[in-house]
Amino acid sequence: MLTIDLRSDTVTQPIEEMRRVMAEAPVGDDVCGEDPRSTG
């Protein structure tokens, strides 16, 4: 029987590339219009 683990991010560990991308991501407050990825 195939077991599928659906716990997602509670057990998944990011690889080094994922950590780098998160660390370098441009961020800001979406309410104040500072988030460059905000669509609102």
Side-chain angles (χ1 to χ4, degrees), residues 11-26:
V11 293
T12 302
Q13 298 294 314
I15 63 173
E16 188 58 36
E17 182 179 3
M18 291 170 66
R19 290 179 188 270
R20 181 185 54 76
V21 169
M22 289 185 285
E24 295 174 359

